[in-house]
């Protein structure tokens, strides 16, 4: 695994800035991607520990990007958190169906993002220790 801990795939620059700033403030290293295509490429290059995936992006959306990452043996193990403004029950199920390990509905408090990342990092660390 590279030194990059979190990959943030988000097309909204303000959201990228907010989430990256708080994650870095809490000691996490962050790589950013503004498109689904770039997110897939960086995930394959960097092998981050966790991916935060906006689902509503132009081009390859977060649902499709997650499906592609989960279908690739090189990236299938990386936990993906869906970040979405779609907060209906069927959207949560769609995230699960795409392969997301968890789901955060926007607007999401930045501290909640950090808490979810840290929960998943702890899970990844525990699995690696076994």
């Amino acid at each position: 695994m590279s030194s990059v801990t979190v990959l943030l795939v988000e097309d909204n620059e303000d959201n990228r800035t907010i989430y990256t700033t708080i994650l870095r403030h809490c000691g996490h290293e962050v790589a950013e991607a503004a498109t689904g295509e770039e997110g897939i490429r960086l995930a394959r290059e960097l092998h981050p520990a966790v991916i935060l995936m906006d689902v509503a992006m132009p081009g390859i959306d977060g649902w499709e990007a997650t499906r592609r990452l989960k279908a690739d043996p090189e990236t299938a193990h990386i936990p993906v958190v869906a970040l979405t403004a779609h907060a209906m029950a069927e959207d949560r199920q769609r995230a699960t169906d795409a392969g997301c390990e968890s789901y955060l509905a926007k607007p999401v408090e930045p501290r909640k993002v950090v808490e979810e990342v840290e929960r998943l990092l702890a899970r990844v660390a525990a699995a690696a220790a076994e």
Side-chain angles (χ1 to χ4, degrees):
M1 186 180 325
S2 79
S3 63
V4 172
T5 302
V6 179
L7 172 58
L8 173 61
V9 185
E10 167 68 66
D11 67 329
N12 181 287
E13 186 176 354
D14 291 339
N15 287 343
R16 278 198 318 274
T17 299
I18 291 166
Y19 298 140
T20 296
T21 299
I22 188 117
L23 286 163
R24 287 183 177 153
H25 176 76
C26 291
H28 301 290
E29 294 189 41
V30 181
E32 297 178 21
T35 66
E37 294 88 343
E38 186 180 15
I40 292 168
R41 181 183 60 77
L42 285 176
R44 289 176 175 156
E45 284 177 19
L46 303 174
H47 298 279
V50 175
I51 299 171
L52 296 170
M53 181 74 71
D54 179 20
V55 298
M57 294 182 287
I60 295 176
D61 65 20
W63 304 121
E64 181 60 24
T66 299
R67 281 190 288 275
R68 290 183 189 189
L69 292 170
K70 292 301 180 175
D72 182 341
E74 290 288 316
T75 55
H77 67 283
I78 303 170
V80 178
V81 178
L83 295 175
T84 178
H86 305 279
M88 305 299 286
E90 57 268 16
D91 296 312
R92 186 175 298 274
Q93 184 60 50
R94 188 173 180 195
T96 300
D97 293 346
C100 296
E101 277 72 16
S102 66
Y103 170 99
L104 295 172
K106 293 179 185 176
V108 59
E109 167 64 38
R111 292 270 173 204
K112 291 284 187 196
V113 173
V114 172
E115 288 171 11
E116 188 60 17
V117 165
E118 290 178 352
R119 184 185 74 79
L120 290 170
L121 288 174
R123 192 181 85 193
V124 167
E130 290 179 0

